[in-house]
C-alpha cells in the first residue's frame, strides 16, 4: 500500500479512472509479460488510478492464483505512481479472501463487487459489505450494481460502520437514487460513475456531482478517452457532443448487440490497435469478423479526436 485512505479517496474522486483488461495467452492462461506491458502503457497517460481485475478485467473468471498474480504484478509495475485498486466480492468468505490477498500484495484498495446470484435485502447487503470491509485495513469502494444495489439509508449505515469505506461506484444509472445517496451521505465518500461505457452518461453524472467514471474504452482509444474527459470537465459541450455522437453512441449500439460485449469488444479493440490481450474466458464470446470491422471503423474515427 502506497497511499492513505484520504489520498485514495481524492484520487478516485477526480480524474480519469482506468480499468485494464486482463491478458490471457492462446491457452487462456494469465499472460504476465503482456499484462506488464499494458500497465506500463496505461500509466504513461494522464489517469488518476488503475483498477485491476475489475469487471473489464474479468474478475468473475479469475482463479485465486490468477488474482494474486494480477495484483502483485500491477503493484510492482505501477510502483506507487497512482493508487492500485483490485476487486473483491461474490460471498463474504471469498470476498474477504480476495481482500486479504489484495492487501498482502500491496494494493491500495478494493472495489467490492455485488454478492453472487441471490436477491438481497438491504440489511443483508449492509452486513455483506461490512464483513468484507472489516476483513481488511485497506480502502474499500462499494460497487452499487446488479443484485447489490443499496439505497441511501443503507449506504449511510455502511459508511458509519466502516471507516475504510471511502467510495461508492454507481453501476445502475438511476440518477434520482444516486443523487439521493450523494445528498444524504455527502463528502464522507467519493463517487464514481460506473455503468457500462460510462462516458455515455458522463454529463448526467457531472450534474449530480460525480466528477469521474470508469473508462473501459481507454484500453484501445486512450488519447480520445482523455480528450473526452478533459472536454467534459472544461465545459466544452461541443467536443463532448461530437465524440458522443460519432463514437460513443455507435459503440453502445455495437456493445448492446450481444450480452457480455462490454468486455469482449474491449479485448477486440486491444487487438485492433496492435496491443492484443487474448480472448475472453467462457461464458463470454469474442466478436465476429463483421463486428470487429465495425469496431475498427470506430477506432479510426476516434483518431480524429
Amino acid at each position: 500500500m502506497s497511499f492513505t485512505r484520504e489520498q485514495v479517496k481524492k484520487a478516485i474522486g477526480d480524474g480519469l479512472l482506468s480499468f485494464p483488461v486482463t491478458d490471457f495467452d492462446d491457452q487462456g492462461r494469465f499472460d504476465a509479460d503482456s499484462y506488464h506491458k499494458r500497465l506500463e502503457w496505461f500509466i504513461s497517460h494522464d489517469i488518476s488510478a488503475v483498477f485491476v481485475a475489475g469487471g473489464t478485467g474479468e474478475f468473475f473468471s479469475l482463479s485465486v492464483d490468477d488474482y494474486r498474480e494480477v495484483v502483485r504484478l500491477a503493484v510492482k509495475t505501477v510502483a506507487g505512481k497512482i493508487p492500485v485498486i483490485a476487486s473483491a466480492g461474490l460471498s463474504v468468505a471469498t470476498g474477504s479472501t480476495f481482500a486479504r490477498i489484495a492487501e498482502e500484495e500491496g494494493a491500495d484498495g478494493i472495489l467490492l463487487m455485488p454478492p453472487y446470484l441471490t436477491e438481497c435485502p438491504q440489511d443483508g447487503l449492509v452486513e455483506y459489505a461490512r464483513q468484507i470491509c472489516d476483513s481488511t485495513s485497506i480502502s474499500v469502494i462499494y460497487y452499487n450494481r446488479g443484485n447489490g444495489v443499496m439505497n441511501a439509508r443503507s449506504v449511510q449505515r455502511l459508511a458509519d460502520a466502516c471507516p475504510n469505506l471511502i467510495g461508492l461506484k454507481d453501476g445502475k444509472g438511476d440518477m434520482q437514487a444516486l443523487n439521493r445517496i450523494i445528498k444524504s451521505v455527502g463528502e464522507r465518500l467519493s463517487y464514481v460513475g460506473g455503468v457500462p461505457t460510462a462516458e455515455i452518461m458522463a454529463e448526467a453524472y457531472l450534474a449530480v456531482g460525480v466528477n469521474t467514471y470508469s473508462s473501459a474504452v481507454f484500453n484501445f482509444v486512450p488519447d480520445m478517452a482523455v480528450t473526452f474527459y478533459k472536454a467534459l470537465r472544461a465545459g466544452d459541450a461541443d467536443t463532448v457532443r461530437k465524440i458522443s455522437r460519432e463514437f460513443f453512441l455507435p459503440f453502445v449500439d455495437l456493445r448492446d448487440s450481444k450480452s457480455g460485449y462490454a468486455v469482449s469488444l474491449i479485448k477486440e479493440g486491444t487487438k485492433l490497435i496492435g496491443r492484443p490481450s487474448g480472448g475472453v474466458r467462457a461464458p463470454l464470446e469474442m466478436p465476429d469478423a463483421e463486428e470487429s470491422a465495425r469496431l475498427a471503423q470506430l477506432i479510426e474515427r476516434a483518431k480524429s479526436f
Side-chain angles (χ1 to χ4, degrees), residues 251-274:
F251 177 80
V252 168
D253 287 341
L254 182 57
R255 183 203 71 194
D256 289 347
S257 65
K258 183 176 286 189
S259 296
Y261 269 17
V263 176
S264 304
L265 285 173
I266 306 303
K267 281 209 152 180
E268 184 69 14
T270 67
K271 182 180 76 173
L272 290 171
I273 66 164

Side-chain angles (χ1 to χ4, degrees), residues 36-45 218-222 270 273 275:
H36 170 71
K37 293 175 183 175
R38 188 169 313 284
L39 290 173
E40 285 189 321
W41 179 59
F42 261 55
I43 62 177
S44 70
H45 294 82
F218 185 92
N219 279 275
F220 60 92
V221 284
T270 67
I273 66 164
R275 296 180 180 272

Side-chain angles (χ1 to χ4, degrees):
M1 182 175 70
S2 301
F3 295 86
T4 66
R5 288 177 189 169
E6 279 304 313
Q7 288 171 327
V8 176
K9 181 183 174 185
K10 182 178 179 180
I12 69 161
D14 197 6
L16 189 62
L17 308 177
S18 63
F19 284 65
V21 295
T22 300
D23 293 68
F24 301 135
D25 64 18
D26 56 6
Q27 300 300 311
R29 298 167 301 202
F30 176 57
D31 188 334
D33 183 59
S34 181
Y35 192 61
H36 170 71
K37 293 175 183 175
R38 188 169 313 284
L39 290 173
E40 285 189 321
W41 179 59
F42 261 55
I43 62 177
S44 70
H45 294 82
D46 188 8
I47 55 177
S48 61
V50 59
F51 285 68
V52 301
T56 305
E58 296 179 77
F59 167 73
F60 44 83
S61 72
L62 299 179
S63 70
V64 170
D65 289 340
D66 287 335
Y67 178 84
R68 186 181 289 276
E69 281 193 74
V70 166
V71 178
R72 178 184 296 156
L73 183 56
V75 170
K76 180 179 179 181
T77 304
V78 174
K81 295 180 178 68
I82 53 177
V84 173
I85 314 296
S87 293
L90 305 179
S91 70
V92 169
T94 56
S96 298
T97 296
F98 282 122
R100 284 193 293 269
I101 292 171
E103 183 167 3
E104 289 167 2
E105 298 302 334
D108 299 288
I110 60 166
L111 177 63
L112 181 50
M113 298 287 194
Y116 170 73
L117 188 62
T118 187
E119 294 79 12
C120 309
Q122 288 295 302
D123 288 350
L125 284 176
V126 173
E127 186 62 15
Y128 162 81
R130 184 196 65 76
Q131 290 189 38
I132 296 175
C133 285
D134 286 351
S135 73
T136 181
S137 66
I138 59 177
S139 299
V140 178
I141 301 134
Y142 184 78
Y143 200 177
N144 215 29
R145 71 172 293 174
N147 60 333
V149 175
M150 290 189 193
N151 59 31
R153 179 174 176 272
S154 295
V155 174
Q156 183 68 68
R157 288 175 56 205
L158 184 63
D160 290 343
C162 301
N164 60 333
L165 181 76
I166 56 94
L168 179 97
K169 182 182 179 186
D170 171 67
K172 188 173 174 61
D174 182 338
M175 290 301 152
Q176 179 174 314
L178 178 59
N179 193 37
R180 186 166 184 171
I181 291 171
I182 294 169
K183 294 297 190 293
S184 299
V185 183
E187 295 182 0
R188 166 68 180 81
L189 302 177
S190 285
Y191 302 94
V192 176
V195 296
T197 319
E199 285 91 346
I200 208 68
M201 295 189 68
E203 291 165 291
Y205 276 132
L206 193 60
V208 297
V210 179
N211 296 324
T212 190
Y213 51 82
S214 56
S215 179
V217 301
F218 185 92
N219 279 275
F220 60 92
V221 284
D223 294 331
M224 189 207 72
V226 172
T227 295
F228 181 88
Y229 179 73
K230 289 183 175 180
L232 175 76
R233 296 305 307 277
D236 182 355
D238 289 341
T239 298
V240 169
R241 189 180 304 112
K242 180 178 177 63
I243 297 177
S244 296
R245 184 177 61 247
E246 297 184 20
F247 179 88
F248 284 113
L249 289 176
F251 177 80
V252 168
D253 287 341
L254 182 57
R255 183 203 71 194
D256 289 347
S257 65
K258 183 176 286 189
S259 296
Y261 269 17
V263 176
S264 304
L265 285 173
I266 306 303
K267 281 209 152 180
E268 184 69 14
T270 67
K271 182 180 76 173
L272 290 171
I273 66 164
R275 296 180 180 272
S277 54
V280 291
R281 287 177 174 174
L284 301 185
E285 294 180 336
M286 291 298 288
D288 62 25
E290 185 272 333
E291 292 163 335
S292 180
R294 288 171 60 188
L295 182 60
Q297 291 175 346
L298 289 175
I299 292 172
E300 282 302 307
R301 195 176 302 167
K303 293 177 182 178
S304 67
F305 307 127

